[in-house]
Amino acid sequence: MLIVGLGNPGDRYQNTRHNVGFMALDRVADHLSIPVNTIKFKGLYGEGRILGKKVRLLKPMTYMNESGQSVRECMQYFKIAPEEVLVLVDDIDIEFGTVRLRKSGSAGTHNGLKSIIYQIQSDQFPRLKIAVGKKNPHMDLADFVLSGFSKEEIPVMDETLEKAKGATLSFLKEGIDSAMNSWNGK
């Protein structure tokens, strides 16, 4: 199994909406006591075990729009099938405070997902969408996803990241179908 958290490297992007994939992966890594600090596959990488199964964690350091390079290299090296990859990704279309697991699908407007689909030539990988709020219609999408959270949004985002951690652990322990039944809409 490979869990990929999407985000942008560097302090400038650290607590932005676009980096919730990194934030969620950090919580999973802490929970599983897996350090994600080895430079490998154009990213930060770590591995460990859960229920006797090997788990690999990856944070691409290529910037969002080239995340697929890192994911492809890791998948090819370990011969990981798309169905065994879970991508943790920010989402602007679902209700703030929720997470949603999907078995597969299009990238929509998300450049990180577009890059992964292009690089691995498949959209048949599970993804965990983490709601980051809806943008103001007058605001540029890039400006919105690269913005931080308001004081009021921070506690909601903290709860949402805990849900993302729980959904990821369910995916690892029980598989995508069971995890979808347990976590979608929460």
Side-chain angles (χ1 to χ4, degrees), residues 57-100:
L57 306 179
L58 180 65
K59 291 165 70 171
M61 292 286 127
T62 53
Y63 288 98
M64 187 66 79
N65 62 348
E66 295 181 352
S67 300
Q69 293 175 20
S70 176
V71 175
R72 178 183 43 78
E73 284 184 24
C74 187
M75 288 175 68
Q76 284 179 338
Y77 186 83
F78 293 113
K79 297 176 177 39
I80 299 170
E83 307 80 52
E84 296 176 341
V85 177
L86 177 65
V87 177
L88 313 181
V89 60
D90 58 289
D91 192 284
I92 60 166
D93 295 319
I94 59 176
E95 184 184 340
F96 189 59
T98 62
V99 298
R100 183 170 298 148

